[in-house]
Amino acid sequence: MTSISTCFTTTPKSRLFFTPLRPLINLKPPDSFPRIQPLPFPRISGKIPGSRVLVPVAKASTDVAVGVGPGRIVESDKLPADVRNRAMDAVDACNRRVTIGDVAGKAGLKLNEAQKALQALAADTDGFLEVSDEGDVLYVFPNNYRAKLAAKSFRLKVEPVIDKAKAAAEYSIRVLFGTALIASIVIVFTAIIAILSSKSSDDDDRGRRRRSFDSGFNIFISPSDLFWYWDPYYYRRRRVQTDDDDKKMNFIESVFSFVFGEGDPNQGIEEKRWKLIGEYIASNGGVVTAEELAPYLDIDRTMSDESYVLPVLLRFDGQPEIDEEGNILYRFPSFQRTAASQRIGRKEYVGRRWADAIGGVEKIFREKKWEFSKTNMSERGMAIGLGGLNLFGVIILGAMLQEMAVTPNGFLKFVAYIFPLLQIYAGSFFAIPAVRWFLNLQRNADIEKRNRTREKYARALKSPDISLRRKLLSARDMAQKTFIGQDRIVYSTDRDLIEQDYEAREWEKRFREIE
């Protein structure tokens, strides 16, 4: 498939003209995609009488070396993994025939990100372009485009391995921290007993007591627990457990959860936010009010204007327009032309009826609050008890080491060497949760404030006053959605130029006969 220019012009005219096709095909592999070539634009008749469409001449053929071979670059590998995956999911959701606006709306991507992703995917998977009678560009992908991309991209093969390695590293840290608590308790109290024994018996007695203490080590930990530590399905099982509050954590889970919590509950939520906004705008025919976008955005109550919509305008290439009553509405042209058939509700559906009419799109964006820990009271009590026991032992051991009259040797020398680390661990076991608790109070207060503000705007949309209702009706009246079906395609890069030249001449002949 050769690269082509994606600039298309529609010029109204009462008379149709036709110029023979003169293809210009780049026979050399492009250095990068897209490679823009100066192309002649033949004038061919469109599907709508009284118009003409300028269509680029290009040919997708096996004679044109495009794609990836030995030493070639896979264009999709240049994309961020998140952008590529979201674009592919949007392509699948639209049955592999999309416009740039379709992908931007479904995936919540910026328009330029969606365009680059579609161009790269088309170059790597033998996708092709279609041009409508009004100059709209559609990207069409084969059924097995994912398999083709996976066969060409080394990055796609490596990414799952890297993700597993990251998960294993995170799991190892969790295991080591919990295991360190048991190790610290054992080391500290073994050292305490060793010091006490040295004051009351000789070396032989000290050895017998140490062996006696070692034999009772199972009081603190069961060997069966060690097998659980290296559970290869930890993350999969943990995700299932978080959905069921009745499920209990094991010891290592409860220790790590008490100290470090369960991480950011809103990780990846920005992706969800932009996806919701894109889907809502598309569902409303590409024209919305600021009040409709407010339930998805972070709004400062001190804002007296509609400046909070600027990020949405920049991301989706929107533009403000003034209706006849002086209301400011926001139009997003890229969302008004689609290759996926979508139903637009009647314009009188505003308020609660309109919210019901566009079912499938969430009406409000909510952030989740930070949890201190998912442990229950008994699990948390065990973690606190063992942590307190370790802290008490470290304090006692520190006092004993300072009172020792002779220089420690052997095991006690090793304990004295790592004693600062034991102190740091014992102190951080309670210091880290205390800091987290304080930070969570501030975070949750801010989250609650933003959620309440969004809910206020959402309630106003369900029961709008007279002025807001008229504004919403005006937006519905300006909304439009143009479906680009196969009957409106006048050019496709996967068809032979001669065939399309013949069809263009037939169209020209037919309109001349009508005239």
Side-chain angles (χ1 to χ4, degrees), residues 70-145:
R72 305 277 176 80
I73 297 176
V74 181
E75 298 296 331
S76 300
D77 286 350
K78 299 178 182 179
L79 301 172
D82 178 60
V83 171
R84 182 199 64 221
N85 294 334
R86 290 161 64 184
M88 293 173 69
D89 291 340
V91 168
D92 292 338
C94 296
N95 295 323
R96 300 178 304 282
R97 186 173 181 268
V98 296
T99 63
I100 295 174
D102 289 334
V103 173
K106 284 285 185 183
L109 296 172
K110 297 179 182 178
L111 290 177
N112 63 333
E113 289 178 336
Q115 182 178 16
K116 290 179 180 179
L118 288 174
Q119 289 174 343
L121 291 172
D124 295 336
T125 62
D126 298 330
F128 59 91
L129 306 183
E130 291 180 347
V131 182
S132 74
D133 51 8
E134 294 186 4
D136 300 293
V137 182
L138 287 77
Y139 293 79
V140 185
F141 297 88
N143 295 338
N144 61 340
Y145 81 99

Side-chain angles (χ1 to χ4, degrees), residues 198-355:
S198 65
K199 296 178 180 180
S200 58
S201 63
D202 56 17
D203 292 341
D204 292 336
D205 293 338
R206 205 165 46 241
R208 284 194 297 271
R209 288 190 178 91
R210 185 178 298 113
R211 288 194 296 272
S212 175
F213 176 78
D214 290 341
S215 64
F217 170 65
N218 286 337
I219 294 174
F220 293 93
I221 183 170
S222 171
S224 61
D225 289 340
L226 293 174
F227 292 100
W228 182 89
Y229 293 172
W230 300 101
D231 179 6
Y233 301 103
Y234 168 77
Y235 282 97
R236 184 188 306 173
R237 186 170 53 77
R238 189 73 189 94
R239 284 193 295 269
V240 174
Q241 288 186 2
T242 54
D243 297 333
D244 188 353
D245 295 337
D246 295 333
K247 290 286 186 178
K248 292 185 177 181
M249 293 184 182
N250 210 299
F251 172 72
I252 296 298
E253 284 182 292
S254 61
V255 169
F256 194 91
S257 179
F258 169 76
V259 178
F260 295 104
E262 298 295 330
D264 185 359
N266 297 310
Q267 186 175 7
I269 204 168
E270 284 301 311
E271 173 186 335
K272 178 183 178 182
R273 183 207 299 266
W274 289 114
K275 184 178 180 180
L276 288 175
I277 294 174
E279 289 179 343
Y280 186 86
I281 296 173
S283 298
N284 283 270
V287 180
V288 295
T289 65
E291 290 81 359
E292 291 178 283
L293 297 177
Y296 302 100
L297 302 174
D298 299 336
I299 303 175
D300 189 345
R301 291 184 176 181
T302 60
M303 291 182 177
S304 58
D305 55 14
E306 298 181 355
S307 59
Y308 56 84
V309 304
L310 289 177
V312 183
L313 298 180
L314 293 173
R315 189 176 190 89
F316 297 129
D317 195 21
Q319 54 195 30
E321 294 187 4
I322 308 297
D323 65 4
E324 296 178 353
E325 298 183 1
N327 297 314
I328 301 177
L329 307 177
Y330 301 95
R331 182 188 296 274
F332 297 84
S334 298
F335 292 159
Q336 294 186 311
R337 308 187 71 81
T338 178
S341 179
Q342 295 180 353
R343 180 179 66 85
I344 300 299
R346 289 152 51 187
K347 70 174 185 178
E348 64 267 23
Y349 280 5
V350 297
R352 190 177 301 276
R353 292 183 66 197
W354 175 253

Side-chain angles (χ1 to χ4, degrees), residues 19-40:
T19 303
L21 297 172
R22 298 192 303 271
L24 177 59
I25 301 175
N26 177 25
L27 296 178
K28 296 181 179 180
D31 297 330
S32 63
F33 186 92
R35 183 175 181 179
I36 306 301
Q37 296 288 341
L39 302 174

Side-chain angles (χ1 to χ4, degrees), residues 190-191 194-195 198 203 206 210 401 404-417:
T190 300
I195 294 175
S198 65
D203 292 341
R206 205 165 46 241
R210 185 178 298 113
L401 290 175
M404 288 185 65
V406 296
T407 302
N409 54 24
F411 173 71
L412 292 179
K413 182 178 181 181
F414 169 75
V415 173
Y417 179 76

